[in-house]
Amino acid sequence: MKITTRRAAARALAALSALTLAACAGGAASTSSSKNDMIRVAVVTPQSGSFAAFGTEQREGVQFAAAEANKNGGIDGHKVELYLADSHGTPEGAVAGAQRLVQQQNTKYIIGLVSTPELGAVEPKLSAWNALMFGTQGQGDALTGESCVPGFFRVTANDSIGVRTLAAALKTFKDKQWDSIAMDYSYGQASAAGVEAALKQDGSGLGKKLFSPVGTTDFGSYISQLSGKGGIAVSLSGTDGINFFKQSLQFGLLQKYNTVLANTGLQTSTLAALNEPRLVGAWGTNTWLPTADTPGSKAFVAAYKAAKGKLPSENIGNGYLGMQTLFAGIRKARSTDPSAVGKALNGLTYDSIQGQVTMSAADHQIEAPTYIGRVEKYEGGYQLVAKQAIPASENNPQANPACKMPQQ
Amino acid sequence: MAVQLLNGLAFGVLLLVLSSGLALIFGLRGVVNFAHGALYMLAAYIGFSATTHLSFWAALVITPLALASLGIVLDRYGLRFLSHRAPLDMVLLTFGLTFVITDLVETVWGEQSRSLDPTAALAGSMSVFGVRYPTYRLFLIAVGLLVCVALVVWLRLSRTGLYIRASSSDRRVAAVFGVDVDRASAIVVGLGSGLAGLAGVLAGPYLSLSPNMGVEILIQTFIVVVVGGLGSLGGAMIAALVLGMANAIASVGFPSLSAYVPYALMLVMLLLRPQGFAGTRTA
């Protein structure tokens, strides 16, 4: 019995020593940087739930960027190592997944979360974890507004930028009568409010303004309320968008409008699911489009197509852009230490698939163009083909004044 | 107004077909089948592939039969195997199956949403009560109602239906009187799964397909079964149509509250008539 107790005590001591050593090693990795340091990235994406498809796309973009960087010898000699976790599409799942990888795998960079609630749940933890997070999809203004923190950087448009892009698109159409249907969610509400304000400024009228709950499957009741006159602004995404476009075509409604304009809803995945020739001529906006006319975008699309045999979707591109931003910060800082990379990213101008972009030091919101495109037959399918780029000076004229960036 | 009624009827009929299977299985086995939504989703994807490679009409026959076979296997090697265990074991089995089926679908068909067009004969729209309405939705209403009427008639008039009703009322007494309750159970679980299969195929050209579609509709289906009366087929039918109509009317009259309508309906029913519309009467 005594022997057993001694053995147990010895094992406990050994385990404690090992833990102490590991903790020391972890501490060393987080405060110093050498060429041998890996860039350890936590890719936390929803792999289940209603955002699972978006999560897979984000993961593909991040993985492609990491593979490309490693193939070229790493970033400043540092190889990229990815650790994957499932956020389950929920705020608590996002925190649990990110925390596990930060604490167990010593990952210092987090990427891949798609929704504003997920990003918003992880954002306040970044300082305690000494980690940086890159927002590649969630649009909520607050993330780079009242909730902004030094460790969070957003590389895609926020709600306000999306609305300004939509307003710019609305100005290009002659229709004086519009209807609006939007998701009853921050993105849809901001979008509908933006449409209303833009039309008012333009002297056009807003007829029906409808909101559908997130996850609406049958849009019949909404479709029957819409007029079919002038133009329609659609702010629905994911399966909600697919259901609306499909059913409104079945009802013969969409065909009655002169102009159909979707705020991010006509994505590659939506158009692929619908595979619908009757959508040709519809207009849409987005933060980045695979048809964007920039050298960086063209090079990425060509490389991706050569490797995967298909066009990268918008979210694949956004995941890739998030990694480009991380790599730019590491190159500038000449370090993999997250504090140094965070400081280097403040106000940094760098080349990306969006052309030359700047990470605003004031609110950590990327200053990059957004796009207006038209649905056309494209490489055997249907694609939103970029027709106009809205420069950052127009889509994001000033940093979010609600952001009081805490001192780093 | 006619369009709103038809909209309510279309979604109500889809819920009706789905909830009929769930109610039947609960009535006889006493199992809340959490995998019912996943079976519906699996059927939608099988229907998608069958339609793509064969035809919609072939999918309409093949898919319910495939799901019914799966249901019989589920009953024989799952529900019957665990019938003497605690109810929680059944819950774990059916809940676990949801994850297995979802992962299977994501592996085979991917996570991306998909969409299916109605077959040429059902594309376009028709004039009903003076308004143009999509032909496919009318087809869905007709098929759903026809199947459910046939189900009630079969349960009421056939010998097997009598055995099923007897087994649902009291399994032990039915066994004492010589009813093969295991066989009745296999038929019911097979039939219930087959109905989930039919709902899945019918949903294809109506809604979009995604691995999450089963979870989205399962909650409403549970509400239908509770409001209708646990295990009651007739009650579930009435509840499905009421819920479909309430959804359609609320999204026009009170759009900001429409998401709460199913839950409000369940709350009111549980407070005023906890046994549901029809209690526990099978059919």
Side-chain angles (χ1 to χ4, degrees), chain A residues 32-33 47 52 79 91 99 111 114 123 157 159 172 179 184-185 189 191 225 255 287 328 352 366 394 396:
Chain A
S32 70
S33 175
Q47 294 304 122
K79 291 278 182 184
Q99 187 163 22
I111 196 166
V114 307
E123 202 177 18
D159 280 334
T172 63
D179 286 337
D184 202 359
Y185 184 63
Q189 286 158 355
S191 181
Q225 295 177 66
Q255 300 89 317
T287 185
S352 74
I366 198 169
E394 284 179 35
N396 191 21

Side-chain angles (χ1 to χ4, degrees), chain B residues 6-186:
Chain B
L6 287 168
N7 285 332
L9 203 56
F11 192 63
V13 163
L14 187 70
L15 281 176
L16 189 159
V17 176
L18 197 58
S19 56
S20 298
L22 195 67
L24 273 176
I25 294 172
F26 183 85
L28 200 140
R29 270 287 182 205
V31 176
V32 179
N33 184 13
F34 282 94
H36 208 66
L39 291 173
Y40 156 81
M41 181 266 295
L42 175 66
Y45 276 90
I46 293 174
F48 174 82
S49 289
T51 304
T52 310
H53 294 107
L54 301 167
S55 74
F56 174 72
W57 304 111
L60 207 56
V61 176
I62 292 169
T63 313
L65 288 177
L67 266 288
S69 310
L70 189 65
I72 291 167
V73 173
L74 170 67
D75 181 70
R76 177 64 187 84
Y77 298 103
L79 304 184
R80 199 195 302 180
F81 185 66
L82 294 177
S83 60
H84 302 295
R85 304 269 282 271
L88 192 61
D89 290 2
M90 293 279 205
V91 171
L92 285 175
L93 171 74
T94 57
F95 202 61
L97 263 178
T98 301
F99 294 106
V100 173
I101 294 170
T102 305
D103 268 8
L104 183 78
V105 166
E106 286 180 351
T107 305
V108 175
W109 286 277
E111 286 129 347
Q112 298 290 352
S113 299
R114 286 167 188 269
S115 174
L116 196 60
D117 283 331
T119 187
L122 301 172
S125 56
M126 289 171 72
S127 188
V128 190
F129 307 127
V131 291
R132 301 294 298 176
Y133 198 73
T135 310
Y136 186 78
R137 286 184 178 229
L138 295 170
F139 170 77
L140 186 148
I141 293 168
V143 170
L145 288 177
L146 206 67
V147 166
C148 288
V149 168
L151 188 64
V152 170
V153 170
W154 177 72
L155 279 171
R156 289 201 167 212
L157 302 182
S158 74
R159 184 172 290 270
T160 313
L162 178 70
Y163 292 163
I164 288 170
R165 283 186 289 134
S167 304
S168 298
S169 295
D170 195 316
R171 201 176 161 81
R172 240 180 241 178
V173 173
V176 166
F177 276 87
V179 174
D180 185 346
V181 288
D182 281 335
R183 187 167 168 270
S185 167

